[in-house]
Amino acid sequence: MTQWVYSFGTNLTEGRADMRELLGGKGANLAEMCSIGLPVPPGFTISTALCTYYYSNDKNYPDSLEKEVTAAISRLEQEMGMAFGDAQNPLLVSVRSGARVSMPGMMDTVLNLGLNDETVEGLAKKSGDPRFAWDSYRRFIMMYGDVVLGVAHHDFEDILDTHKRDEGFTQDTEVSDSGWKQIVADFKALALRETGKPFPSDPQEQLWGAISAVFNSWMVPRAITYRKIHDIPADWGTAVNVQAMVFGNMGQDCATGVAFTRDPSTGENYFYGEYLVNAQGEDVVAGIRTPQSLTIKGRKKEGSVLPSMEEIMPEVFAQLDDVRLKLERHYREMQDIEFTVQQGKLYMLQTRNGKRTTAAALKIAVDMVEEKLVTQEEALLRLDPQALDQLLHPTLDPMAHKTILAKGLPASPGAAYGAVCFTADAAEARASAGETIILVRRETSPEDIHGMYAAAGILTSRGGMTSHAAVVARGMGRPCVAGAGSIRIDPEAKTMIIADNQIIEGDMITIDGATGEVMLGTVPTIQPQLSEDFVSIMKWADTHRRMRVRANAETPLDAQTAVKFGAEGIGLCRTEHMFFDPARIQNVREMIFASTREDRQKALEKLLPAQRDDFLALFRIMQNLPVTIRLLDPPLHEFLPQSEEDIHDFAHSAGLDQDNVRRRLADLHEANPMLGHRGCRLGLTYPEIYAMQVRAILEAALEMKMQDGVTVIPEIMIPLVGMQQELAILKKLAEETAQTVFAEKGVEIDYLIGTMIELPRAALTADMIAQDAAFFSFGTNDLTQTTLGLSRDDSASFMDDYIKQGIFARDPFATLDRDGVGQLIQIAAQKGRATKQDLKLGICGEHGGDPSSIAFCEETGLDYVSCSPYRVPIARLAAAQASIRLKKASSLGKSLQHAKKKAA
Amino acid sequence: MTQWVYSFGTNLTEGRADMRELLGGKGANLAEMCSIGLPVPPGFTISTALCTYYYSNDKNYPDSLEKEVTAAISRLEQEMGMAFGDAQNPLLVSVRSGARVSMPGMMDTVLNLGLNDETVEGLAKKSGDPRFAWDSYRRFIMMYGDVVLGVAHHDFEDILDTHKRDEGFTQDTEVSDSGWKQIVADFKALALRETGKPFPSDPQEQLWGAISAVFNSWMVPRAITYRKIHDIPADWGTAVNVQAMVFGNMGQDCATGVAFTRDPSTGENYFYGEYLVNAQGEDVVAGIRTPQSLTIKGRKKEGSVLPSMEEIMPEVFAQLDDVRLKLERHYREMQDIEFTVQQGKLYMLQTRNGKRTTAAALKIAVDMVEEKLVTQEEALLRLDPQALDQLLHPTLDPMAHKTILAKGLPASPGAAYGAVCFTADAAEARASAGETIILVRRETSPEDIHGMYAAAGILTSRGGMTSHAAVVARGMGRPCVAGAGSIRIDPEAKTMIIADNQIIEGDMITIDGATGEVMLGTVPTIQPQLSEDFVSIMKWADTHRRMRVRANAETPLDAQTAVKFGAEGIGLCRTEHMFFDPARIQNVREMIFASTREDRQKALEKLLPAQRDDFLALFRIMQNLPVTIRLLDPPLHEFLPQSEEDIHDFAHSAGLDQDNVRRRLADLHEANPMLGHRGCRLGLTYPEIYAMQVRAILEAALEMKMQDGVTVIPEIMIPLVGMQQELAILKKLAEETAQTVFAEKGVEIDYLIGTMIELPRAALTADMIAQDAAFFSFGTNDLTQTTLGLSRDDSASFMDDYIKQGIFARDPFATLDRDGVGQLIQIAAQKGRATKQDLKLGICGEHGGDPSSIAFCEETGLDYVSCSPYRVPIARLAAAQASIRLKKASSLGKSLQHAKKKAA
């Protein structure tokens, strides 16, 4: 027969920490603490399996449950020497929910269950404090009325407030025992009025009511929504914990507190916590009385004069400090604990792994390795790579007041405030006058680059996580909130409307690129610092990872940032970004408007020296690290003037007729530019463009060799290849160009030619394409767009809806879609390596900086990931984690096989 | 030792018809004719293997070749009783190239080889006709000089013309023997001047020169280009045929002619050909003398008074007619033959399968089956399905004069002329006034539909084979030339410029959608007629094919056309086309502008009856054939007003602010609409739209059942599914709607829910998607776009270039890309059927009407293809061919296996 109820206590403990699935987190840890001899008020846990039973059986309980609960209560009574519902010596209990993971929206707690008009007198007599007893009783009715009977909490508050007003009181502590008695009567009258039934006085009825309330709360809308968002299956269910009450508010020898075994904000290894004498747990967090520090050290740190627990309850504190050490040794993790001291006796009510800041997480990880509590691998696995972002970018001062106006996508991390500008030109002008600027655009285009550079942060009302604004901002390390759809921007009028606020150019706003929040005015920020712990963790990560980590970078600034953060090369240098430089765009446009190959050649010759210098600058920074350079990718119309003014200016300076310019613009217009005349298709129709770029790359590499004595092996990458022939033809072009350059200079160098795999067809025919490629770099942005038929710029309008409906677990442009895009990557990797065993494989899409996607890359056997410079540390840690996990899984697999063999 | 030379003749014939690979087409057929006892001038063939040897050995011949050629020449001399280079009794030969397939650009023919100043006298004496001898000599020098020595043909012509002018002659026949003698001397002087060497007089030297010229011509640029375009491997090589000369111009008992064993333009079974007395082959085609009919019947048909061969050479004709029958029995195909009569004796010079019109091809196929010459399967395999198009659409009168102005893509077959209109409204207005119209647009959009209906043909300057204009025109059966990029249209000015001609509204032009030609003025057309032969062929095709053929249709007219052409259902009904109806577009727009779900519901309720009537009309035409209806697919912005005028009108009639309308337009704008908010994504964000459509479908089907007593099983198709969840959610919506409708009506019917597979992700995860799908329909237009990352609307600008460079063998939007898109279809078919064995599979992209793609569908095991109504006959034939070929291949495979087993 299924066991539904698991006791814990001094005499009998049936659970363990690793039974979290059955007992929930709280129940499992209570049992574990009992097992290791810590003082825990006895109790029992009704398992999560019962929750599942309850919902599959039309909200009925199995027959055996009542008997099990009754037996468990008896055990409780025995251990406590009290009796449930006994008028003289009443046992009171708390009832709490407890799922596998902590989950908001669920019923939280009912305390003091078991009190009624009779037992309250017993409690009064036993504690010698009628005021305490009646206060406990009214607290019970309030909680039970709210969470079990559904009577609104504020209706109870109203009664209490009226009473205090009538009496002229301001504090609850002024209410006398008779006052509480009157309030209890009023509370019960309220419950009768609201529910049509008298407030239950039978402790058994109270208990079953609370148990059912916990199970019912599993299916309230808030809980369902939370589970959906966090991908928690409904059939996990919740457990119910019933535990003997202990009181921290029975007098001056009582206390209650919460603590962390180490400082959760810095990670420092000292006992960090707060307590209150003669108080219940809720008082510590309610903020009416000022909680006091546990330790002398903590008190001094805070500059507080209120005595620490270490000072006024030295014996109990010593016990508690001992518990702290025991827990850390046992769990090998920093713990978040709750305790109560009842009449001088310490009780542990909860322990769980403590939440912490990223800085603290790093320090704790490093310290625990040094303390030999955990291995490097374990320490690395406990860190959240994404959280490292906090350390690399300015963050909002958590203490500052924020008026949130809107929420967009957290497109590029970091927080920034500044004066709003609606055009790139205005942003640049104001910034050069010394102002800090937030550039606000519906969406950005390559023409806005100078304004984005000038701005401290970027806000757009359209576009997704991989929109132009998002990608460029991440590359530059500028905070960016993208696709804040509720903002209505009128660039002509230089205004925007957010949540009914009209904001004009020059008004201050603050954006948080880590959360997507847009705030009114200036919210102070905190500048980042890289600690020694960070350096240690990165060093460990580097020794544990197999994959290399490169950066996507094209400017010297990006490249320097990348090197600073530990990039081992450039995985993607997007040459087109170099074409937007105002000093060159004129030549680029002349090249596009050239009507003959000769004219185009002339314009390209003007671009050649600048382009060569671009690469030389990158090579100098990267020294002999690999640099992958992607030849021109975007459609040519991206380089053309768009506004009437620009068209006029360009026509004038190029000596062209304006209508002629407009006609060419119309000719180059595309219905779906993402699928248009771009990538290698440009190289095939205008081979002279690619020839110029290849020449610039090789001339720069030759100069490195001759002048700097550094051997660079440039990796020339052909984009958007779908057909084997495309690569074959362009490879030949590159090789011929190389031969010409080598002949001119009289020197040769090695170089690689490879391709992006960013079209499904390329992945599917990778065996053929690999014949002409030395490397594949998975361009997962475009590969996601084509595999899913989903434009990253246009999907924002329904992406939310898709995630809410559970169609996407996560935005596929942020986290790789394994079933679809991932399948293609696996096919390509396997077919590619079948053709060429030593084919170098990497990823250079946005996913290269996403931990879950990096894990996929490790599993697929890629050689490196490449991401924006600011994500390099994240990628280093994520790659290490993936490597460690894969090794563990494989050695587990081996042991299993070994065991099987032995058994066979 | 390799045999390089293969003799043919009366005494020794070493080749056969099936040795075409080694001997080329001409050589193999000459040998075959010898084998079956036909009179062929003896000769020999130097094999194609020699050509390969020649190029792999630096243009050297194997040592053994000379001996083999000498032996073959001796055999020739023996058989002819003449000697090569003999001054008294000279043997003359012709030298011709002959590859596996006939190939322009190659050296064609050198006649009369062996003549020199001595042998010419022998020929004069033997023939008794010095003028004939010297004429033959000058012809030889001219041909040899041109094709072997590289002296320009027109330089020879100039000498001849000068001579005639000096003598006052107008015709060659006026030149006397001494005149020819003088011309021969001038020709030789020219050759010496141009080549620096005397014209070769040694017959051996002449022979080897001609042989080398043939092999060298294999690698001239024109030949290389032709091979590239037609995918002919260079290592096939060419053969050389050396054959004894016979003369049709040795007197009145000589003749020469060309003939077809049946009439190549009608297919009628009678001897169709022309001959000339006392002439050489080239004279028949040169057009100087009028060729005469072979038969009395032919002469009468042509109304000619010139006597037929049947009349003036009855004995030789009887021999020839016998040869005709022998050849048809032997080859079991209509033959194209050349013959010469020398002094009363018949010689066959060539036989090959004859080219014919499509009408003739059908008649010959049907007749030969009736004559039991071939089986139905063989007859079907010989037909070109694409060519059937000619029979279904008007064609240009081949006799009419054409002034071709431009060439675009042959986007929808048929020819049409009409007055140019530059807007849909103008087209409609003029058409309703009785004019015939050609609608000319840069590109068409759904707003142009009424103008396209009104027009007789459509011409666009942009877009590819699957652009909106092309797809809609094919559906309507309107001729269309798309993407004629050289045309510059100015719709405001109502003019266009083509090849320097300014054409204004109302000017007449003619377009030929089968060739892509655009012509000035009115070119007469011929209306199509479906013959009895067509009906027979279709009937046979139907009995031999496995796959069903459906049509893509949404209007009653389309559906009726489809049924007329034998469609077995509708494979794709695009419901959005129904939304553009002027009577409904207002409601559609109100639906889009609705700000609440209630308002949207109201607008949809107005659309429901019309939509239900749409489906009812289709069901009535299709009766109980299956009808697959795709729910709304295009992005909503396609339905919105675009021009300022339309925006004004719509805002006014809908009671909306114009700025409001513009803002919504801007909100709905997408960077890449093809990858945007469309397909099932609309159904998921606006479920009420799909619910309305499902309701309309089921209400119509219920009405068919109750009123007409016909059971329709509608197939509801969800477009653009990429994620399993999308289909699951929408399937549930459809089922719930169905339950509601059934409950309301108190009647239930069967229906199927399935999906388009048009995204790579859908194909890759077909095992999961199949869980909720009763059928898959491969939407290969979109699947090609996403798999190749190639927009069909934007690829026209570089598609030509891609095909020229050999990157695409054919436009992948016309012929399925097997390696990429095809691979995905195979994956999807296999995974889909692994989940659901009876999953119905079809194709509804443009490829469903393309024979090569249909063959792929057969190989992949699809259940049906669906194509535009006018392509249904093509699909029926192509499906039959594919089925027959697959069966043959599989039974061949089985025999091979069987043979292997026996051997083992």
Side-chain angles (χ1 to χ4, degrees), chain A residues 381-401:
Chain A
L381 286 181
R382 281 181 189 170
L383 297 169
D384 173 11
Q386 292 280 18
L388 295 184
D389 241 3
Q390 285 177 28
L391 303 178
L392 309 177
H393 296 280
T395 47
L396 288 183
D397 181 346
M399 309 306 291
H401 173 76

Side-chain angles (χ1 to χ4, degrees), chain B residues 676-687:
Chain B
H677 194 179
R678 49 170 290 236
C680 68
R681 296 162 192 169
L682 291 174
L684 284 155
T685 45
Y686 307 111

Side-chain angles (χ1 to χ4, degrees), chain A residues 57 84 137 215 255 276 325 376 491 542 625 662 671 691 751 773 815 889:
Chain A
N57 289 278
F84 196 49
Y137 192 13
F215 288 133
L276 278 175
L325 291 176
Q376 278 185 11
D542 291 349
L625 292 174
R662 276 193 204 93
Y751 61 94
T815 298

Side-chain angles (χ1 to χ4, degrees), chain B residues 455-741:
Chain B
I458 295 129
L459 168 62
T460 69
S461 59
R462 279 203 199 136
M465 291 296 288
T466 47
S467 61
H468 178 266
V471 172
V472 173
R474 280 197 292 273
M476 289 180 184
R478 294 285 182 286
C480 174
V481 172
S486 65
I487 301 181
R488 206 160 277 294
I489 300 170
D490 185 343
E492 272 80 49
K494 300 187 180 176
T495 60
M496 63 173 166
I497 309 280
I498 322 185
D500 293 335
N501 294 270
Q502 167 151 344
I503 289 179
I504 62 168
E505 184 167 301
D507 283 356
M508 295 301 285
I509 63 168
T510 302
I511 61 170
D512 186 348
T515 61
E517 288 168 351
V518 181
M519 290 143 283
L520 194 62
T522 305
V523 181
T525 56
I526 299 171
Q527 289 307 306
Q529 276 188 319
L530 297 185
S531 65
E532 273 175 44
D533 300 319
F534 176 85
V535 174
S536 300
I537 290 289
M538 284 296 117
K539 225 164 64 187
W540 296 346
D542 291 349
T543 65
H544 284 94
R545 69 187 155 86
R546 181 191 60 79
M547 287 194 296
R548 302 266 133 203
V549 174
R550 300 194 194 181
N552 300 346
E554 37 274 330
T555 66
L557 181 64
D558 289 345
Q560 276 153 358
T561 308
V563 168
K564 185 179 86 186
F565 286 141
E568 296 163 299
I570 289 177
L572 176 63
C573 163
R574 289 155 290 210
T575 51
E576 58 272 19
H577 286 205
M578 299 161 167
F579 280 28
F580 286 109
D581 185 301
R584 303 183 199 170
I585 189 76
Q586 180 77 10
N587 289 335
V588 174
R589 289 173 180 172
E590 280 172 18
M591 184 266 287
I592 296 171
F593 273 86
S595 51
T596 65
R597 183 153 292 194
E598 287 67 39
D599 286 354
R600 201 152 45 236
Q601 290 276 21
K602 262 184 234 160
L604 285 165
E605 270 159 32
K606 289 190 219 160
L607 284 168
L608 174 65
Q611 180 93 105
R612 183 176 52 224
D613 289 348
D614 293 333
F615 299 134
L616 195 56
L618 286 183
F619 292 155
R620 288 238 160 88
I621 294 165
M622 303 309 292
Q623 289 293 316
N624 51 7
L625 292 174
V627 176
T628 306
I629 298 165
R630 178 177 73 183
L631 302 185
L632 194 68
D633 183 55
L636 295 184
H637 49 75
E638 283 201 7
F639 299 101
L640 295 185
Q642 300 298 338
S643 71
E644 278 303 306
E645 197 186 331
D646 281 356
I647 291 172
H648 172 270
D649 290 354
F650 169 68
H652 182 75
S653 64
L656 290 168
D657 183 45
Q658 280 192 48
D659 281 346
N660 190 354
V661 173
R662 276 193 205 93
R663 196 150 53 226
R664 184 91 175 110
L665 278 173
D667 281 351
L668 286 173
H669 171 80
E670 293 185 314
N672 292 285
M674 190 56 64
L675 309 176
H677 194 179
R678 49 170 290 236
C680 68
R681 296 162 192 169
L682 291 174
L684 284 155
T685 45
Y686 307 111
E688 50 280 5
I689 300 179
Y690 274 20
M692 181 279 282
Q693 294 196 295
V694 170
R695 172 176 279 273
I697 293 166
L698 294 174
E699 287 186 355
L702 284 171
E703 198 166 330
M704 281 296 283
K705 180 172 182 170
M706 324 239 303
Q707 289 200 359
D708 301 37
V710 173
T711 302
V712 177
I713 302 180
E715 303 182 349
I716 298 169
M717 182 154 72
I718 315 283
L720 211 73
V721 163
M723 312 286 297
Q724 182 187 9
Q725 269 303 95
E726 291 173 324
L727 183 58
I729 292 171
L730 291 173
K731 186 187 179 192
K732 193 159 161 257
L733 172 76
E735 287 172 342
E736 285 168 0
T737 305
Q739 285 316 314
T740 310
V741 173

Side-chain angles (χ1 to χ4, degrees), chain B residues 744-766:
Chain B
E744 285 168 13
K745 308 281 170 185
V747 190
E748 298 207 357
I749 50 160
D750 288 335
Y751 60 95
L752 303 179
I753 296 173
T755 183
M756 300 270 278
I757 300 289
E758 50 188 335
L759 296 177
R761 194 184 193 286
L764 292 163
T765 60

Side-chain angles (χ1 to χ4, degrees), chain A residues 580-600:
Chain A
F580 286 110
D581 185 302
R584 306 185 197 168
I585 189 76
Q586 181 77 11
N587 290 337
V588 174
R589 290 174 180 171
E590 280 171 18
M591 184 266 288
I592 296 170
F593 273 85
S595 50
T596 65
R597 183 153 292 192
E598 286 67 40
D599 286 354
R600 201 153 44 236

Side-chain angles (χ1 to χ4, degrees), chain A residues 80-130:
Chain A
M80 294 296 285
M82 303 161 105
F84 196 49
D86 186 287
Q88 307 306 320
N89 187 22
L91 169 69
L92 303 187
V93 296
S94 65
V95 178
R96 292 182 172 96
S97 68
R100 269 195 233 185
V101 292
S102 134
M103 225 181 77
M106 295 281 302
M107 196 201 88
D108 188 20
T109 308
V110 175
L111 298 178
N112 306 342
L113 189 142
L115 281 175
N116 55 28
D117 293 353
E118 286 161 18
T119 54
V120 70
E121 298 294 355
L123 183 63
K125 218 180 290 166
K126 239 192 117 196
S127 65
D129 186 351

Side-chain angles (χ1 to χ4, degrees), chain A residues 889-904:
Chain A
S890 118
S891 76
L892 184 66
K894 275 184 201 152
S895 331
L896 283 174
Q897 275 189 329
H898 188 69
K900 262 191 193 167
K901 269 190 198 158
K902 269 186 103 170

